[in-house]
Amino acid sequence: QIAVLHWLSGDRRAALATCRNVVRDAIAALDGAAGLSARTEAATAAHAAVLAQRLGDHAPARQLIARLDTAPQLAAMQPVSGFLQVLRAREALAAGKNTQALEGLLSLHGQHESFQLRVALMEAYATQGNADAALRQAQWLTSNRGWAYAEFGGCGWCGQSLNVADANLARLRRIELLDQLGRRVEARSELERFDGDWKTRALPDYLRTRREALLSTFN
């Protein structure tokens, strides 16, 4: 969660450094771990690797995927299996293989309903140009904020801070998607509601920069 705090404050370099260290240490710990302990290490690493992917560094995810490929029993455990598919899907997205990414993510429906699965689905649909489907995922993320806090994630709520940040970002993403769909009146109304809930001068960096980018589309 320290990596997320660095990211939220705008310190991408520190966030990535922390993600890399978490993945490295977790992979090393897997050599002497088994059962639930191994699951915890793998799930912790997966959350860090997802954030690193989102910040543009895919090496931690690839290292973790390669390590889990050598441990099929661990890789088959939930939620490790689900997070592994999310990591693979994000790698596919980065390689321009959007259909492959979507197929992998959709195969998890009903099996691994994690917050990060929904975030990845939203991004995959948006990349595909399917704003309607992306909007439905954004709506799910904003409507299920409680799950952002409650999801155990196989690692003692280690993904809670990232999930909560994504629940907040989903509100702005929803406005962007409404605007893309030509539903500008709804988009402006949603932005007014957002500004009513979050005082502009008190916005954390990750919301402030996204909101400023959004405002530029209305001007």
Side-chain angles (χ1 to χ4, degrees):
Q1 300 202 37
I2 294 174
V4 177
L5 293 176
H6 286 311
W7 168 55
L8 299 186
S9 66
D11 194 340
R12 177 179 175 275
R13 179 177 294 182
L16 277 174
T18 304
C19 288
R20 292 165 185 150
N21 290 339
V22 168
V23 173
R24 181 200 63 208
D25 292 347
I27 288 176
L30 284 176
D31 290 338
L36 294 180
S37 294
R39 185 192 71 176
T40 298
E41 296 292 349
T44 300
H47 280 92
V50 164
L51 180 56
Q53 284 177 314
R54 291 169 58 173
L55 293 175
D57 186 355
H58 291 263
R62 291 168 185 162
Q63 291 162 8
L64 181 58
I65 290 170
R67 177 62 179 85
L68 291 175
D69 281 344
T70 69
Q73 285 187 317
L74 174 59
M77 292 177 66
Q78 286 291 12
V80 177
S81 175
F83 283 122
L84 182 56
Q85 189 65 270
V86 171
L87 290 170
R88 292 188 192 279
R90 285 191 171 278
E91 287 304 295
L93 277 176
K97 301 175 181 177
N98 197 69
T99 299
Q100 178 182 325
L102 273 171
E103 288 176 351
L105 293 169
L106 290 172
S107 71
L108 297 174
H109 262 307
Q111 303 175 49
H112 178 73
E113 286 296 308
S114 77
F115 221 74
Q116 290 307 308
L117 166 64
R118 295 285 187 162
V119 173
L121 267 175
M122 178 179 67
E123 294 176 6
Y125 279 129
T127 301
Q128 186 187 52
N130 190 341
D132 279 310
L135 180 61
R136 286 194 292 274
Q137 296 304 319
Q139 182 61 51
W140 188 95
L141 290 167
T142 57
S143 299
N144 290 272
R145 184 180 179 85
W147 185 237
Y149 287 93
E151 183 181 359
F152 181 68
C155 54
W157 299 278
C158 70
Q160 185 183 82
S161 57
L162 180 59
N163 290 345
V164 173
D166 281 328
N168 294 332
L169 281 170
R171 292 187 65 181
L172 294 176
R173 191 69 179 105
R174 186 169 184 272
I175 297 167
E176 293 168 352
L177 292 163
L178 284 169
D179 186 56
Q180 288 177 26
L181 290 166
R183 295 159 62 177
R184 181 153 283 205
V185 173
E186 289 179 71
R188 286 188 178 276
S189 178
E190 288 290 332
L191 182 58
E192 288 174 5
R193 277 195 286 272
F194 178 86
D195 287 344
D197 293 336
W198 292 83
K199 300 305 179 185
T200 305
R201 284 178 295 181
L203 280 176
D205 183 80
Y206 78 106
L207 291 178
R208 178 184 56 78
T209 55
R210 192 65 171 262
R211 181 184 175 278
E212 288 175 353
L214 178 60
L215 282 177
S216 68
T217 67
F218 286 131
N219 298 328

